Amino acid sequence: MAASLTRLLERSLRTTHAPQSSVRLFSNGSQKQQQQQPEVEDEEEFRVLNLRPVKQQFQRRRDIRRDDVTPPRTTRMAVDQDWTAAWPGPRSFHPASVPLPLRQGFTERGAAAPSKFANAELMKIPNFLHLTPPAIRQQCEAIKKFCTPWPKGLETEAKWKPHFPVEVITTDYCQSLPTVRNPEARRVTVSLKLSDLKFDNHARDKFLRLVGERYNKETDVLTFVTDRCPLRKQNYDYALYLLTACYHESFVTEPWEATKSEADMELYLFERNQAKRSAEAILNWNAAEGAPKKAASASYAQCVEQLINEGENEYNLAKYKEEVMKMLNVAAQ
């Protein structure tokens, strides 16, 4: 009974919003029950659960200090400065380093082209600002100490050409690509005159068959063009290998080469043809038995070869007529 009265009194105190207090009620029961009853504390309001910290600290913004924009370098350049020090090597266009009012780009009609500042078109193309005449002169002076003087007696092409018969031609390309290597730059052309090589009749005939269309009969120039290797140095070595291999192979005589007929010969040779036997038969006609046989003269053999190999013309026909009359001892009329 005492416990129920106590709970009723506590409930009435909460409803009337009485100030916080602790009430102890004593009954006629034992003191032991009263001591075991816990104290009840009443709160004025509900507690708030804050998942974020309640204390909000407002920090002051840091002022970012920005340095002043430096004026273009062109405004501080001297008129007589060393340009090789400002632009020593190849690089992309930089507007603040070039004291020239360059303009490039498409614009509408009547408007000026974009200036050099913030101009992507000027950075796309390669420039040669590092190859000015003073820079080239300075570089030539720097490498002059590594050069040797030009040999005396080789001042003209006619004098040095016999000493340097092989001509090598390569091509360099300048392009605006991520790589400076152009696929066409690997091509190498090696040319020389066939008269600069020493052959005998057999070697010359075989060499011309090996090189095929690489030899120009009109100019007497032999040309090797190589581009199958990825690098220029490899193509150069391959061209020299072809020239060396063909030259040494032309002096090798295979067993089957002895069976070549007149139709297989590239040039007409007097010694291997019926013309020699016919001329000897005419010269030795009605000769006594046991008498030494006569042979055609070397000049006659040469004019016959020249007439057949070069074709009929006024000079060759006149020369052939003269040699025939001389061989037959016929006086010219």
Side-chain angles (χ1 to χ4, degrees):
M1 185 66 180
S4 60
L5 292 175
T6 304
R7 287 195 295 271
L8 182 60
L9 182 59
E10 291 176 355
R11 190 179 296 110
S12 63
L13 289 174
R14 291 194 188 97
T15 56
T16 56
H17 301 284
Q20 183 178 358
S21 63
S22 61
V23 178
R24 292 184 181 182
L25 299 178
F26 299 93
S27 64
N28 296 328
S30 69
Q31 291 290 341
K32 189 174 181 180
Q33 279 185 344
Q34 295 177 1
Q35 293 177 359
Q36 292 178 357
Q37 183 66 27
E39 296 181 357
V40 179
E41 296 181 357
D42 189 15
E43 298 180 355
E44 296 182 358
E45 58 184 2
F46 293 101
R47 296 181 181 179
V48 180
L49 177 60
N50 294 323
L51 299 179
R52 295 183 180 181
V54 179
K55 184 179 180 181
Q56 297 182 358
Q57 297 179 355
F58 297 94
Q59 297 181 355
R60 185 181 180 184
R61 278 190 174 183
R62 294 179 57 186
D63 295 337
I64 301 176
R65 183 178 180 183
R66 300 179 182 275
D67 297 334
D68 298 336
V69 179
T70 306
R73 184 182 176 184
T74 54
T75 58
R76 305 189 307 271
M77 285 184 175
V79 179
D80 56 348
Q81 69 166 354
D82 185 10
W83 176 246
T84 58
W87 204 282
R91 55 173 296 193
S92 299
F93 182 79
H94 193 272
S97 301
V98 181
L100 300 175
L102 301 179
R103 293 181 178 273
Q104 184 176 352
F106 176 78
T107 57
E108 298 180 357
R109 181 179 298 179
S115 64
K116 62 181 180 179
F117 292 98
N119 193 332
E121 298 297 329
L122 288 174
M123 292 187 290
K124 291 179 181 179
I125 61 173
N127 59 77
F128 297 92
L129 297 174
H130 62 288
L131 294 179
T132 56
I136 297 176
R137 192 179 305 109
Q138 184 178 355
Q139 295 176 6
C140 292
E141 292 294 333
I143 65 176
K144 186 179 294 185
K145 59 183 179 181
F146 301 104
C147 301
T148 57
W150 186 261
K152 295 182 179 180
L154 301 178
E155 290 78 11
T156 61
E157 182 178 357
K159 293 181 179 180
W160 60 259
K161 194 68 174 178
H163 300 279
F164 304 96
V166 180
E167 182 180 358
V168 181
I169 301 176
T170 59
T171 306
D172 294 322
Y173 294 87
C174 183
Q175 57 186 1
S176 56
L177 291 179
T179 175
V180 296
R181 179 175 296 174
N182 191 293
E184 299 297 330
R186 71 182 190 275
R187 184 177 290 107
V188 177
T189 303
V190 177
S191 60
L192 74 159
K193 287 192 174 183
L194 192 65
S195 58
D196 295 330
L197 301 177
K198 297 181 180 180
F199 294 107
D200 54 16
N201 294 332
H202 166 266
R204 180 183 175 86
D205 177 65
K206 188 174 182 179
F207 184 83
L208 293 178
R209 294 175 185 272
L210 291 174
V211 298
E213 298 180 354
R214 297 181 179 89
Y215 174 68
N216 189 347
K217 186 177 180 180
E218 298 179 358
T219 59
D220 193 36
V221 175
L222 176 67
T223 305
F224 288 94
V225 180
T226 55
D227 59 353
R228 62 177 58 188
C229 299
L231 299 180
R232 177 188 298 176
K233 181 64 168 58
Q234 296 173 341
N235 287 315
Y236 171 75
D237 295 340
Y238 180 62
L240 294 185
Y241 164 76
L242 290 178
L243 176 60
T244 305
C246 292
Y247 180 77
H248 289 287
E249 185 65 23
S250 63
F251 288 91
V252 178
T253 303
E254 301 291 342
W256 54 265
E257 294 184 20
T259 61
K260 289 194 304 183
S261 61
E262 295 183 8
D264 297 328
M265 301 301 296
E266 189 173 276
L267 297 177
Y268 181 86
L269 298 178
F270 181 79
E271 297 293 332
R272 295 175 56 94
N273 286 274
Q274 182 63 31
K276 178 183 178 181
R277 294 187 289 272
S278 299
E280 292 178 351
I282 295 174
L283 292 175
N284 296 302
W285 179 74
N286 201 17
E289 296 183 0
K293 294 185 177 181
K294 298 180 180 179
S297 62
S299 59
Y300 174 77
Q302 182 179 359
C303 75
V304 172
E305 292 179 354
Q306 186 174 359
L307 177 63
I308 298 178
N309 292 330
E310 298 181 2
E312 296 182 0
N313 52 50
E314 185 177 355
Y315 175 79
N316 291 339
L317 290 176
K319 185 68 176 178
Y320 178 72
K321 175 182 178 181
E322 180 182 352
E323 292 296 332
V324 170
M325 296 178 65
K326 186 186 299 184
M327 182 180 64
L328 299 178
N329 295 325
V330 176
Q333 296 179 357

